[in-house]
Amino acid sequence: MASMQTSPNIIVGLDIGTSKIKAVIGELSPNHIEIRGYSIVPSKGLRNGVVINIEETKRSIRTAMEEAQSFAGCQVDCAYIGITGSHIKSISSHGVITINNEVTAEDVQRVTQQAHAGKYSLTEEHMLHVLPQEFTLDMQEGILEPEGMAGKRLEVKTHIITASQSAVRNIEKCVLSAGLAKSTPVLAQLAASEAVLSDDEKELGVCVVDIGGGTTDITVYRNGSMQYTAVLPIAGNYVTNDIAIAFNTPTDSAERIKVQYGCAMPSLIKEDFKFDVQRVGEREPFALGQRLLSEVIRPRMEEIFENVEARLKQDGFSKEMFGAGIVITGGSSMIFGSVPLAEEIFDMPVRIGVPKSDVLSGGLVHEVNHSELATAIGLLLYAHQNFDLDNPGYVYVTPRAKGPGFFATLGSRLRRLKNWFSASF
Ligand SMILES: Nc1ncnc2c1ncn2[C@@H]1O[C@H](COP(=O)(O)OP(=O)(O)OP(=O)(O)O)[C@@H](O)[C@H]1O
Ligand SMILES: [Mg+2]
């Protein structure tokens, strides 16, 4: 490993899930991210996104990094890591400052900082993101990019995302033990949504449902920005357990048949294909039909979608708010029939979200183009938007220091690119 190529612009998007760890290595340059390698390995030591066994988690992350680095042929010491779990909190906040006739980038940063000052416990919570929703300049509401505009009083409405300090520290400890000296925690839902959504969908209103192994993460975008997030402790592992119990088969065999033959809608099965299944404690396998398997899967997938619908309703969302419908992603969205089932339950258009972006390049782009990798790819996209191109290699920048961060305005982004070019050539 010591002789492997290293570069300060090569980083890893690390999605430490409840059932799998996904590591995607990318090389960042101003206009694109070249995918260099990736790995998907079983995850041990986490429950619902939170570390419950630190040694097992460290081992799983080390395995993921060894595989991904060997694939990419390079060593990485900088990670963007996805953070999720029921400890995530989102608070709506408001900041106001007076300015000197014209809004500068510093004013935008100052008003955003003002919005989150004193809004959460510094000892218990880690501030992940301050997401500006809209600015008001004097009496003019609904401004998305106030920089350069004239006025006296600048207000901002923001959405603050925090995570439990201890949950973030434990993940960072595990990541450090895999040789990743620099790490930046990012809300996993934010990363996944950025990877799968188009700007139009964010504008029209859309709900992203990331169905993983242990948790189902809900994220709502409206008027171009993230407005809401929630985590439900029910996902694909429940489906696997149902199969294991219904057919008295070991969990790994239940997982295998789910992925290979599973279907969320029995009515989609035209020919009842039969396959062999191992029974616990018995040598002889038995023949199971795809339709019966599907009848066990459907109620649990239905329950997941119904829980999402109930949670959205409880928190004040109605169908009319989602002009662009629902986007499902995460490993469990890949089960055959999940889209028509979700459409039946939500009574809205549903599509599968796969990671897509014009900035991704390299021969591996088509290989990583599936929903299981949405968060890991989204972490690379996040890194690309926030990477300090003026100072490659120095990337441990807290969202606080970066101000609007992920939602950096187009103008400021172009300027950073320009600076990068003038510093390099
Ligand atoms: N082709 C497939 N068909 C059905 N289910 C699948 C498929 N591929 C993966 N899964 C399921 O997806 C789940 C893992 O998805 P993912 O990797 O998104 O979860 P995770 O990130 O590890 O978990 P979490 O986000 O809950 O912490 C597992 O339950 C797995 O069985
Ligand atoms: Mg996940």
Side-chain angles (χ1 to χ4, degrees):
M1 195 71 77
S3 59
M4 277 190 187
Q5 177 200 355
T6 56
S7 156
N9 287 354
I10 300 181
I11 64 159
V12 62
L14 194 56
D15 175 15
I16 307 162
T18 306
S19 58
K20 292 180 192 171
I21 297 188
K22 283 83 54 180
V24 182
I25 295 177
E27 184 165 1
L28 309 189
S29 50
N31 298 319
H32 61 261
I33 306 169
E34 189 190 341
I35 306 291
R36 298 279 302 256
Y38 69 96
S39 69
I40 302 177
V41 308
S43 170
K44 294 217 163 63
L46 286 113
R47 185 175 299 151
N48 299 345
V50 173
V51 178
I52 52 162
N53 182 325
I54 206 150
E55 287 313 315
E56 278 190 337
T57 309
K58 280 182 183 171
R59 254 195 307 277
S60 306
I61 295 176
R62 258 184 250 136
T63 309
M65 284 312 298
E66 276 161 21
E67 278 191 21
Q69 289 178 126
S70 146
F71 188 155
C74 61
Q75 232 177 332
V76 185
D77 70 348
C78 172
Y80 276 68
I81 45 179
I83 304 285
T84 185
S86 45
H87 57 96
I88 299 288
K89 284 192 204 149
S90 66
I91 312 159
S92 291
S93 188
H94 177 251
V96 53
I97 58 165
T98 50
I99 57 161
N100 199 3
N101 295 324
E102 187 181 308
V103 184
T104 62
E106 288 68 36
D107 292 329
V108 172
Q109 195 156 335
R110 204 155 53 87
V111 73
T112 313
Q113 276 173 355
Q114 218 250 7
H116 73 73
K119 297 292 187 324
Y120 59 95
S121 155
L122 285 168
T123 50
E124 286 166 22
E125 286 161 272
H126 179 104
M127 207 274 297
L128 286 177
H129 308 281
V130 179
L131 309 172
Q133 310 286 294
E134 63 167 33
F135 295 88
T136 301
L137 191 54
D138 296 336
M139 299 305 283
Q140 183 61 53
E141 293 181 348
I143 300 168
L144 296 179
E145 299 194 6
E147 216 179 306
M149 292 176 76
K152 288 269 179 216
R153 178 188 153 96
L154 181 64
E155 289 177 65
V156 66
K157 275 191 205 154
T158 62
H159 196 59
I160 301 168
I161 312 281
T162 67
S164 133
Q165 280 279 13
S166 49
V168 174
R169 282 221 192 102
N170 282 332
I171 294 261
E172 283 178 338
K173 260 190 191 170
C174 297
V175 166
L176 186 64
S177 87
L180 296 158
K182 300 169 216 151
S183 62
T184 302
V186 177
L187 179 71
Q189 295 91 304
L190 182 66
S193 305
E194 285 300 318
V196 302
L197 293 181
S198 69
D199 289 344
D200 288 346
E201 285 173 322
K202 290 185 212 166
E203 204 57 52
L204 282 169
V206 66
C207 175
V208 179
V209 181
D210 177 347
I211 320 164
T215 63
T216 295
D217 301 344
I218 311 170
T219 314
V220 172
Y221 275 74
R222 293 185 70 221
N223 303 325
S225 64
M226 195 186 122
Q227 302 217 330
Y228 169 88
T229 183
V231 179
L232 303 179
I234 175 174
N237 290 352
Y238 278 71
V239 179
T240 306
N241 283 345
D242 291 345
I243 297 170
I245 291 165
F247 304 114
N248 193 26
T249 187
T251 311
D252 56 344
S253 142
E255 172 70 22
R256 210 169 31 248
I257 60 173
K258 176 182 85 171
V259 170
Q260 210 170 340
Y261 306 106
C263 173
M265 278 195 113
S267 58
L268 292 178
I269 295 170
K270 299 295 171 234
E271 254 174 67
D272 194 17
F273 178 75
K274 296 254 187 322
F275 48 90
D276 282 348
V277 177
Q278 203 67 46
R279 239 189 244 280
V280 174
E282 281 179 30
R283 291 240 180 92
E284 285 302 303
F286 72 101
L288 176 65
Q290 218 176 356
R291 191 163 295 132
L292 194 54
L293 174 67
S294 176
E295 276 161 12
V296 169
I297 294 173
R298 177 175 171 134
R300 189 62 85 175
M301 290 300 288
E302 245 176 31
E303 188 188 352
I304 294 173
F305 293 134
E306 281 166 1
N307 278 339
V308 172
E309 196 190 27
R311 182 60 180 266
L312 287 169
K313 207 168 171 187
Q314 177 196 314
D315 289 339
F317 293 99
S318 60
K319 259 182 11 187
E320 303 71 57
M321 293 173 163
F322 305 120
I326 306 268
V327 175
I328 57 171
T329 190
S332 298
S333 70
M334 285 154 63
I335 198 156
F336 182 59
S338 59
V339 169
L341 180 67
E343 284 187 328
E344 194 180 297
I345 289 168
F346 291 113
D347 191 23
M348 264 190 276
V350 176
R351 72 167 181 94
I352 293 230
V354 294
K356 268 209 174 86
S357 167
D358 293 344
V359 299
L360 298 174
S361 72
L364 293 174
V365 168
H366 295 291
E367 234 177 274
V368 297
N369 181 26
H370 54 92
S371 36
E372 205 173 14
L373 289 173
T375 303
I377 300 275
L379 289 165
L380 288 182
L381 295 171
Y382 179 96
H384 188 248
Q385 288 206 8
N386 289 271
F387 198 71
D388 192 345
L389 294 167
D390 300 337
N391 194 2
Y394 179 74
V395 288
Y396 189 72
V397 182
T398 65
R400 208 169 321 188
K402 296 293 289 182
F406 204 16
F407 296 91
T409 61
L410 184 64
S412 67
R413 188 153 161 62
L414 290 175
R415 200 160 41 249
R416 279 198 292 136
L417 292 181
K418 211 169 108 228
N419 290 344
W420 189 90
F421 276 115
S422 48
S424 308
F425 304 110

